[in-house]
Amino acid sequence: DTGVSQNPRHKITKRGQNVTFRCDPISEHNRLYWYRQTLGQGPEFLTYFQNEAQLEKSRLLSDRFSAERPKGSFSTLEIQRTEQGDSAMYLCASSLRRQVQETQYFGPGTRLLVL
Amino acid sequence: AQSVTQLGSHVSVSEGALVLLRCNYSSSVPPYLFWYVQYPNQGLQLLLKYTSAATLVKGINGFEAEFKKSETSFHLTKPSAHMSDAAEYFCAVSVSGGGADGLTFGKGTHLIIQP
C-alpha cells in the first residue's frame, strides 16, 4: 500500500492557461475525492467519484473545472483558463466504500500558483 | 447542512503541557467526526474518528477526543505535548461517513509547542 499520490506537487502557470493534475488513489479504493485548500482555510469539498462515476459536484466547481476518473482508477482534475483566484492546494483523497465507517486517506496535494 | 467551528486559529503550549484543541459541530443528523493533522507541505493524516461506537476515541500519537452530544463538541486532547506535535489540526464532520457529502472541515488550529 503506497498511499495516495498526486502529480505534480507544484505548478506555476500564467493566468489564462490550462492545467491538469493527476491523482492515483490507494489500490482497490473505489471512492475518490477532490478538495481545494486555500491559505489559512480548511479543505473544501469539490467533487467525488465512486468507481468511474462522478456522483457529486460542489457549487465551488465552476464550469472551468472538470474531473475524470476513467476506468475507476486514477483521476485527473483540469482547470481551464486559470484565474489568480484558483491559486490553492488541490488535495485528493480515496476511501473504500465497503467499510461501514469509511476513512478518507489524503495525498500530499498539488500546490497551484497562478500568476 | 453541517458545519464545524474550531475555536482559536493558533494555540501555544509548552512542551510537556496539556494540549486542548476545541471543535464544535453543527449537524441535523448524528454525525461522524474526524480529526486530521497536516504538517507543512504535506497532505492530511487521520488522527482519530468518532463513529458512534464509543464517546471517548483514542487515536495515534497519544491523542484522544471525546464526543459530547449535549455540547455538540469533539475536543482533541493530549496529556503531554511534544515538539513533534507542532502542526495544523483540522476537525471535520460528515453525515454519512463519506460519499456524496464529502467531509466538511473547520478552518484549522495551528499548534505551537514552546520549548
Side-chain angles (χ1 to χ4, degrees), chain A:
Chain A
D1 186 346
T2 57
V4 179
S5 62
Q6 293 186 246
N7 288 288
R9 293 291 309 276
H10 299 88
K11 179 70 176 179
I12 299 175
T13 190
K14 294 182 179 179
R15 188 177 54 187
Q17 297 295 304
N18 298 344
V19 295
T20 300
F21 310 140
R22 175 178 171 127
C23 170
D24 287 90
I26 293 171
S27 59
E28 297 182 355
H29 276 193
N30 48 14
R31 285 185 168 177
L32 187 147
Y33 302 78
W34 284 99
Y35 292 83
R36 180 175 68 188
Q37 184 180 20
T38 54
L39 201 60
Q41 303 293 319
E44 296 171 295
F45 170 73
L46 292 178
T47 187
Y48 109 100
F49 292 82
Q50 184 162 305
N51 300 312
E52 68 276 8
Q54 188 175 17
L55 298 185
E56 186 71 19
K57 292 195 292 186
S58 161
R59 289 171 297 176
L60 295 174
L61 212 64
S62 77
D63 292 344
R64 297 184 297 105
F65 287 69
S66 62
E68 295 182 343
R69 193 184 182 197
K71 302 180 181 179
S73 55
F74 70 92
S75 176
T76 58
L77 178 68
E78 180 183 16
I79 308 174
Q80 296 181 328
R81 305 181 302 281
T82 52
E83 301 173 356
Q84 288 185 327
D86 297 331
S87 296
M89 174 81 88
Y90 290 85
L91 294 164
C92 175
S94 70
S95 67
L96 185 60
R97 183 184 182 276
R98 189 176 63 201
Q99 295 175 323
V100 174
Q101 303 105 13
E102 67 178 83
T103 297
Q104 294 184 30
Y105 296 88
F106 284 79
T110 295
R111 187 173 295 281
L112 172 66
L113 177 61
V114 181
L115 301 177

Side-chain angles (χ1 to χ4, degrees), chain B residues 31-54:
Chain B
Y32 296 91
L33 294 160
F34 305 80
W35 275 100
Y36 282 86
V37 61
Q38 186 176 35
Y39 297 100
N41 299 315
Q42 294 187 27
L44 282 74
Q45 180 183 7
L46 180 70
L47 279 176
L48 49 80
K49 62 181 180 181
Y50 166 75
T51 56
S52 77

